[in-house]
């Protein structure tokens, strides 16, 4: 009886890891959004500025996909199958030196990180995210020591 129970528990535990996703995969099932993601998307509209010693960097949220836009990565032509990625919108980053780039963004389930990519299917660069209020958020790369504070 104990062996059967142990076998059952090991089977359940092993199957629970099958659905785990990689860092680049989206972490909520279907196309529903968590409350944290909904609140973040509410904040992410308009233009925010980060003023620093060299100049000002702006982020303008241009498009928002609610529900999230789903794109297929690594599609197998023969089977039509592939990994899916969700995108919450498109923004423009304009740096203090005048360079400007459009980037697609994804907000993780808990709204504690944001992934940015140049294309819908490109590699994402993740930054820590802290939404302080409806008019302010902070971003910090994993190797950065200080938060960049963006305000409306």
């Amino acid at each position: 009886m104990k062996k059967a129970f142990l076998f059952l528990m090991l089977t359940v535990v092993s199957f629970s890891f099958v659905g785990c996703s990689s860092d680049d995969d989206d972490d909520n099932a279907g196309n529903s959004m968590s409350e944290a993601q909904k609140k973040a998307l509410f904040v992410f509209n308009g233009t925010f500025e980060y003023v620093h010693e060299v100049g000002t960097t702006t982020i303008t949220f241009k498009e928002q996909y609610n529900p999230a836009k789903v794109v297929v990565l690594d599609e197998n032509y023969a089977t039509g199958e592939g990994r899916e990625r969700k995108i919450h919108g498109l923004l423009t980053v304009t740096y203090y030196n005048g360079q400007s780039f459009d980037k697609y963004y994804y907000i993780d389930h808990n709204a504690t990180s944001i992934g940015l990519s140049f294309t819908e299917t490109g590699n994402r660069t993740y930054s820590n995210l802290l939404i302080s209020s409806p008019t302010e958020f902070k971003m910090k790369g994993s190797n950065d020591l200080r938060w960049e504070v963006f305000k409306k």
Side-chain angles (χ1 to χ4, degrees):
M1 184 73 170
K2 286 183 182 180
K3 287 183 181 180
F5 178 75
L6 180 59
F7 177 76
L8 177 65
M9 291 306 295
L10 289 174
T11 303
V12 169
V13 170
S14 66
F15 280 116
S16 68
F17 289 108
V18 170
C20 291
S21 60
S22 69
D23 289 341
D24 204 40
D25 292 342
D26 303 327
D27 52 4
N28 49 331
N31 206 12
S32 62
M33 287 193 288
S34 69
E35 287 303 312
Q37 287 171 317
K38 290 176 187 176
K39 285 181 179 179
L41 289 176
F42 176 78
V43 171
F44 288 165
N45 63 70
T47 300
F48 291 79
E49 294 183 340
Y50 166 53
V51 180
H52 44 93
E53 57 278 351
V54 182
T56 301
T57 298
T58 63
I59 295 179
T60 303
F61 292 91
K62 296 169 59 172
E63 294 178 16
Q64 193 172 97
Y65 312 131
N66 186 1
K69 182 177 183 179
V70 178
V71 295
V72 178
L73 305 176
D74 306 326
E75 185 172 10
N76 181 323
Y77 176 75
T79 64
E81 296 176 357
R83 293 182 298 130
E84 290 186 346
R85 166 183 281 176
K86 293 179 187 164
I87 300 170
H88 287 123
L90 179 68
L91 56 80
T92 300
V93 179
T94 305
Y95 295 98
Y96 62 91
N97 62 6
Q99 288 185 322
S100 186
F101 301 97
D102 285 341
K103 295 186 178 186
Y104 292 91
Y105 67 93
Y106 170 77
I107 303 157
D108 77 327
H109 184 75
N110 295 318
T112 57
S113 75
I114 185 170
L116 302 173
S117 62
F118 286 105
T119 64
E120 290 181 342
T121 59
N123 291 335
R124 288 181 177 161
T125 303
Y126 286 88
S127 295
N128 295 317
L129 176 66
L130 176 62
I131 299 174
S132 308
S133 74
T135 59
E136 179 181 292
F137 68 91
K138 301 174 184 180
M139 286 184 7
K140 177 173 77 165
S142 58
N143 295 328
D144 295 337
L145 298 175
R146 293 187 294 172
W147 289 95
E148 295 176 351
V149 180
F150 288 86
K151 298 179 181 183
K152 260 190 176 178

